[in-house]
Amino acid sequence: MPSPRAITSDLPSSPTVAELISHGAMAFDRAGLAYGHGTGNAVDEAAALVFHALGLDHDEAESAYGRHPEAAAVARVLDLFRERIERRVPAAYLMRRMWFAGLEFEVDERVIVPRSPFAELALARFEPWVEPGRVRRVLDIGTGSGCIAVACALAFPQARVDAVDISNDALAVAARNVAKHGVGDRVRLLQGDCFGPVAGERYDLVVANPPYVSDEEMAALPREYLHEPDLALRAGPDGLDVVRRILAGAPAHLAQDGVLIVEVGDSEARVNQAFPRLPFVWLEFEHGGGGVFLLRRRDFGI
């Protein structure tokens, strides 16, 4: 565990914002931190914490780098650096916020940190896979923080969105984000597993970012991921327990021309092997990410 001196050594007595970011990044590299919760490297992680602690706007980054924060503000930054290193807490949890599809969401350790390529789909209004003007009902399975449900509500302003999660704790976070973005009149939060709370309902679009980490993969995850709810990550011996339930229930809940889109991350090969008869379309993303498949109702043979 680093000492206070290890965090502050080589730091100028009155550092600039840029020097704080550089100092944090070097400390993170020395500590061997893992990334993947909204940032992909030490510099971006340090910058996120510095801008958060100092109340700076990322849109004004260029003008901010040369500023010299007051001593009390520098101390706040260093406290965040220490907690990031000592407890391996992802920056998003330290900041209690993360951005998704250009929107800010409240997050804490009751939900996983938003980082899905679904953001790119939402910003494109899921085109060309759906006709946005014809989408009236959307189901989000495993809503967590509510980020995908909210993004869908904003992408389809004429649609109603049902957002399901098995965790009441997660739904409490989602409720705050639904209210924050003013979509409470069209987003309905429901507690339960997969399609359980929506028996008899059909949807034009069903989206899901379910748990898909296998038991073996869970054992190998860096400490940062252990701050996230186990329930939102672990999905049995092969990581497909929840995906199987989604595929089993989807035909009965998709409208005639309905589309199902599911993120399975690194489980793509296992999905193809487990369901060789389903004609999965694996989506490609301009801004990174993958492991997301698409099926239409007719692909289930009905």
Side-chain angles (χ1 to χ4, degrees), residues 187-218:
V187 176
R188 181 173 62 156
L189 299 174
L190 301 167
Q191 193 277 329
D193 181 55
C194 296
F195 297 101
V198 293
E201 304 279 0
R202 290 188 179 271
Y203 300 89
D204 304 300
L205 176 63
V206 176
V207 296
N209 181 14
Y212 52 73
V213 183
S214 70
D215 291 339
E216 183 179 357
E217 290 167 334
M218 283 294 300

Side-chain angles (χ1 to χ4, degrees), residues 27-35 45 81 84-86 88 224:
F28 292 171
D29 280 339
R30 287 195 299 268
L33 301 187
Y35 308 100
E45 190 93 346
F81 286 172
R84 178 67 183 90
I85 292 171
E86 293 173 5
R88 295 297 201 267
E224 280 82 354

Side-chain angles (χ1 to χ4, degrees), residues 56-233:
L56 299 175
D57 187 341
H58 286 275
D59 291 335
E60 300 175 359
E62 290 301 321
S63 63
Y65 290 140
R67 297 180 191 172
H68 291 264
E70 296 180 355
V74 172
R76 290 198 301 272
V77 171
L78 297 180
D79 284 343
L80 287 177
F81 286 172
R82 288 190 189 95
E83 191 164 7
R84 178 67 183 90
I85 292 171
E86 293 173 5
R87 295 184 52 228
R88 295 297 201 267
V89 181
Y93 288 148
L94 295 174
M95 299 185 298
R96 289 292 190 259
R97 61 179 179 176
M98 181 47 64
W99 288 262
F100 180 86
L103 306 167
E104 183 181 312
F105 290 89
E106 295 183 22
V107 298
D108 59 34
E109 295 183 21
R110 292 174 291 178
V111 298
I112 62 171
V113 176
R115 53 183 179 273
S116 170
F118 266 107
E120 189 173 321
L121 293 173
L123 287 170
R125 303 186 71 198
F126 290 84
E127 293 185 290
W129 309 108
V130 303
E131 296 181 40
R134 299 182 65 179
V135 175
R136 292 293 184 270
R137 301 213 59 197
V138 178
L139 173 64
D140 175 25
I141 296 174
T143 196
S145 65
C147 61
I148 295 176
V150 168
C152 284
L154 295 174
F156 306 115
Q158 76 281 19
R160 290 182 292 128
V161 180
D162 286 342
V164 173
D165 203 288
I166 200 168
S167 166
N168 279 317
D169 284 343
L171 290 172
V173 177
R176 293 181 61 86
N177 286 315
V178 167
K180 177 184 179 74
H181 292 286
V183 291
D185 59 330
R186 292 188 296 112
V187 176
R188 181 173 62 156
L189 299 174
L190 301 167
Q191 193 277 329
D193 181 55
C194 296
F195 297 101
V198 293
E201 304 279 0
R202 290 188 179 271
Y203 300 89
D204 304 300
L205 176 63
V206 176
V207 296
N209 181 14
Y212 52 73
V213 183
S214 70
D215 291 339
E216 183 179 357
E217 290 167 334
M218 283 294 300
L221 286 177
R223 283 174 56 194
E224 280 82 354
Y225 291 85
L226 303 184
H227 289 276
E228 296 188 295
D230 185 271
L231 186 66
L233 297 174

